[in-house]
Amino acid sequence: MTTIHRVTVGAWSRELGPHALALAVLTVLGPLGFLACAATAGHVRWWVWVAVTVAAFLLVEHVDRLVQTGFWLVLLLLWLVAVRGPTWWAVPAGACALIAHTTAALLAGLPDQARIGRVVAVRYAARVGLLVAASAVVAVGEETARRHGLGGGAAYGGAGLALLAGLVWFWRSR
Amino acid sequence: MTGRVRLPPVRWQATAAGFRAGILGGSGVLAAVAFHRPDLLVVVTPLVLVASWSRLARPSSPLVVEVGLPDAQAREGDLDDWTVRADLARGVDTLSVGLVAGAFVEVDPPSRTLTVAGAGVVQESFTVRTTRWGTRHVGPCTLGAMSAWGAYRAGPVTGPATTIAALPQPAAFDAHAPMPAPRGMVGLDRSRRSGTGSEFAGIRPFESGDRLRRIHWPSSLRTGSLAVTQTYADQESHVVVIVDATSDIGDREGIDGRPTSLDLTVRAAAALAEHHLARGDRVTVRAFGATAFPTVRPRTGSAHLRRVLAALGSIEVASERRVDSGAVTRGLPAGALVVLLSPLLSDTSFEVVGRLATAGNPPVVVDTLPADLGLGGTEALDLAWRIRRLGRSLDIAVLAGRGVPVIAWRGPGSLDVVLRALAVRARAPRLALR
């Protein structure tokens, strides 16, 4: 059965409507939130803040290009360098990355003047919440394994490889 | 394009978002394993799941969409539904449709995004309203669909514009006056001669050939000889509506605003045609000053009304100012009621009136210049318009002096006084050379 939810009304235009503007703001705030988590868990120099802020503002115009991928690869590298060892801040950092990714995808795929209705917002909020909960489960599992001396390295390594294998399998399944 | 059209199937394509989730998730997991960093694994876990989810929910077949209007004709001001019908494969998350409204077309809403759960046929409508008669366009439309997390996208594709023939909405009109010279076989108008009809004319002695049911028994018994009831014949008239399309004065505000001179002319012509066709009269419509106007032969009936409205809806003011007035007046049947609808601003209008009067078909001229029309703006423009109106008043006075009735269009009853006068004039004895 197909269910339809009437969501948006607005003119199709190049100018960003209020809802698309909100998506753009979240796309900019995502990297800054990620950086804030990294700074709290480790150490980030002031010029990194400046560079990331400027880049986030500039790149919001290019949400449908691969340059966003490069930007986030740099941010992951930054996390690797700035943060030393396991931290609970990884969960909100992952949430920030996910929110920025989701809003960028919606911004790229919907008309600029489209109004994101309550149904879409709730649907994606639920999805984001589900995936953040999954990452929290992974974090708790990793912490539990580490506290009980189960060989945290092997545990997360195994889990990581399983995730990677699953990703490759899905990628090649069609 | 008219009616509904099926767009070519739209293939799904991977987006930068899907690529981003896969690359970040994969490289993050690799880095977490390589550098023994479980925190990085936690960071990229949502993105890994997004990539997997997106891959699993990839739409399996192209997007097939059908768009358009069910009917290519609509009355101006009426609502119609422009529909999009999509056969959606499993995995389609959102469907976006944008529709551009052409001139004198309102679309509600201008664009729409649907979120869809599950596969199947989805049909959604946009309310389309044409606000002025004529050929109108809805579209082009833009369609796009997105899978979960925006990893795959179909489109956006642009669909063709849909053409609507917006028929004029007839103005309110009614007439109770008799037609001056009914000449047809059937209709509602009382003929001047007796015949088969329903209106009582008198009682006369029985003649051979009279029907038995016509015998008037009370008179027959009283007089001792058979008498029959005599009735007037019911006949229809031939009405020729001539539209002056040489000029369109005023701001085009559509059916919700003030009418232009051509709006008033066309709607009045539609009203006249509707009224007389409803009475059973034969109606012909002719136009001059228009780019192209189809031949509308004299016919009767509701199908003919649609034909007349379609012809009126196709009127466009021509840029060529030279008009062959002879072509307008040629071949008109004697005794037809000729109604010329004109704002009386061009010389051609008066030329046509003169030709009609000369040919023995003096027209009833209906002045369709809107009363509240002002070309306001600069003082010079106001002055020029006043001078033009004064000149026009003089021309109308000259016409009236030559016995051509000129009346302003006021809706119901506009023609009654003139038609009564013409009917009296038609019955009056005439001088003839022998």
Side-chain angles (χ1 to χ4, degrees):
Chain A
M1 182 184 170
T2 301
T3 52
I4 306 165
H5 304 286
R6 196 169 293 178
V7 178
T8 62
V9 175
W12 199 296
S13 157
R14 288 186 180 178
E15 294 180 3
L16 290 182
H19 289 210
L21 193 63
L23 287 177
V25 168
L26 284 174
T27 307
V28 172
L29 288 179
L32 298 180
F34 182 87
L35 202 60
C37 294
T40 311
H43 177 67
V44 174
R45 293 178 185 276
W46 66 268
W47 55 266
V48 175
W49 278 100
V50 175
V52 168
T53 306
V54 171
F57 269 104
L58 291 178
L59 293 180
V60 75
E61 278 288 312
H62 308 287
V63 285
D64 205 20
R65 292 189 180 178
L66 293 179
V67 68
Q68 278 276 349
T69 308
F71 175 57
W72 274 98
L73 277 174
V74 169
L75 284 177
L76 288 184
L77 189 65
L78 194 70
W79 176 275
L80 207 60
V81 173
V83 179
R84 303 276 175 201
T87 170
W88 290 107
W89 284 105
V91 176
C96 287
L98 178 62
I99 288 168
H101 169 77
T102 307
T103 52
L106 287 174
L107 196 58
L110 293 177
D112 293 343
Q113 287 287 324
R115 290 175 58 191
I116 311 298
R118 186 179 172 82
V119 175
V120 172
V122 168
R123 175 184 285 188
Y124 273 93
R127 286 177 180 177
V128 167
L130 183 70
L131 297 195
V132 171
S135 76
V137 168
V138 172
V140 169
E142 185 276 328
E143 180 67 18
T144 307
R146 199 166 56 81
R147 283 195 179 180
H148 289 79
L150 296 177
Y156 69 71
L161 283 174
L163 275 172
L164 188 61
L167 181 64
V168 171
W169 180 78
F170 285 133
W171 199 263
R172 294 181 61 85
S173 61
R174 302 175 105 157
Chain B
M1 185 208 76
T2 56
R4 298 180 63 84
V5 67
R6 180 183 284 255
L7 302 181
V10 189
R11 298 181 67 83
W12 290 90
Q13 291 182 329
T15 63
F19 183 77
R20 184 166 65 237
I23 289 290
L24 292 179
S27 57
V29 171
L30 276 178
V33 172
F35 296 107
H36 295 266
R37 291 293 297 273
D39 53 323
L40 190 58
L41 182 68
V42 172
V43 168
V44 297
T45 294
L47 294 173
V48 171
L49 294 174
V50 164
S52 308
W53 188 331
S54 306
R55 197 67 199 168
L56 272 177
R58 181 188 181 184
S60 52
S61 57
L63 182 70
V64 179
V65 182
E66 192 178 290
V67 296
L69 286 160
D71 195 354
Q73 277 190 340
R75 293 274 182 105
E76 60 175 337
D78 285 358
L79 300 177
D80 206 348
D81 278 343
W82 186 94
T83 53
V84 52
R85 190 170 182 274
D87 191 359
L88 298 178
R90 187 183 63 82
V92 181
D93 203 46
T94 62
L95 174 68
S96 312
V97 187
L99 188 59
V100 178
F104 300 110
V105 174
E106 293 173 355
V107 174
D108 181 34
S111 76
R112 174 175 292 175
T113 304
L114 314 174
T115 54
V116 182
V121 176
V122 173
Q123 181 161 324
E124 270 296 309
S125 300
F126 288 72
T127 304
V128 172
R129 181 173 179 261
T130 53
T131 57
R132 191 169 189 254
W133 54 272
T135 304
R136 303 287 163 230
H137 301 285
V138 183
C141 62
T142 312
L143 296 117
M146 207 167 65
S147 70
W149 300 102
Y152 294 92
R153 195 181 307 149
V157 290
T158 304
T162 309
T163 303
I164 311 176
L167 308 180
Q169 192 73 265
F173 178 73
D174 196 10
H176 299 290
M179 297 298 283
R183 294 214 172 178
M185 300 295 289
V186 291
L188 294 179
D189 293 315
R190 196 186 78 174
S191 171
R192 277 177 287 165
R193 60 184 176 80
S194 59
T196 305
S198 55
E199 192 161 348
F200 180 78
I203 294 172
R204 61 168 173 77
F206 180 85
E207 291 174 1
S208 175
D210 281 340
R211 297 191 173 195
L212 292 178
R213 65 185 178 86
R214 291 272 182 186
I215 294 173
H216 191 254
W217 293 108
S219 298
S220 301
L221 288 172
R222 200 163 47 244
T223 58
S225 59
L226 285 175
V228 292
T229 307
Q230 193 176 15
T231 54
Y232 289 112
D234 290 335
Q235 294 185 320
E236 90 271 20
S237 300
H238 185 172
V239 180
V240 179
V241 180
I242 300 178
V243 173
D244 175 4
T246 50
S247 51
D248 189 9
I249 311 294
D251 294 331
R252 297 175 181 176
E253 297 176 358
I255 198 165
D256 302 321
R258 287 177 305 174
T260 65
S261 63
L262 193 57
D263 284 341
L264 209 58
T265 305
V266 166
R267 288 172 191 148
L272 281 170
E274 187 177 48
H275 171 76
H276 287 289
L277 286 170
R279 285 168 51 93
D281 296 334
R282 280 172 293 137
V283 174
T284 312
V285 178
R286 296 185 180 190
F288 60 94
T291 50
F293 191 76
T295 306
V296 183
R297 298 189 184 286
R299 288 197 181 125
T300 186
S302 57
H304 189 56
L305 174 63
R306 203 166 177 80
R307 205 175 294 128
V308 167
L309 292 180
L312 288 171
S314 71
I315 287 178
E316 284 179 28
V317 178
S319 54
E320 175 60 66
R321 309 304 298 174
R322 286 174 300 176
V323 176
D324 179 12
S325 56
V328 183
T329 58
R330 202 171 294 137
L332 291 180
L337 171 65
V338 181
V339 182
L340 172 66
L341 297 152
S342 169
L344 297 170
L345 285 169
S346 71
D347 294 339
T348 313
S349 318
F350 295 97
E351 195 179 323
V352 168
V353 173
R355 277 183 176 273
L356 287 168
T358 309
N361 276 315
V364 175
V365 180
V366 178
D367 177 8
T368 53
L369 188 70
D372 57 345
L373 188 66
L375 294 185
T378 64
E379 197 175 332
L381 196 61
D382 276 338
L383 183 63
W385 180 234
R386 280 174 56 197
I387 292 171
R388 182 71 192 86
R389 288 189 78 118
L390 281 173
R392 178 177 168 276
S393 305
L394 283 176
D395 291 337
I396 291 173
V398 169
L399 275 187
R402 289 178 181 171
V404 176
V406 180
I407 49 169
W409 176 257
R410 293 285 181 268
S414 292
L415 299 185
D416 277 354
V417 174
V418 174
L419 290 181
R420 281 200 185 93
L422 287 177
V424 169
R425 194 163 73 181
R427 289 190 179 94
R430 296 179 184 176
L431 287 174
L433 293 174
R434 290 184 185 275

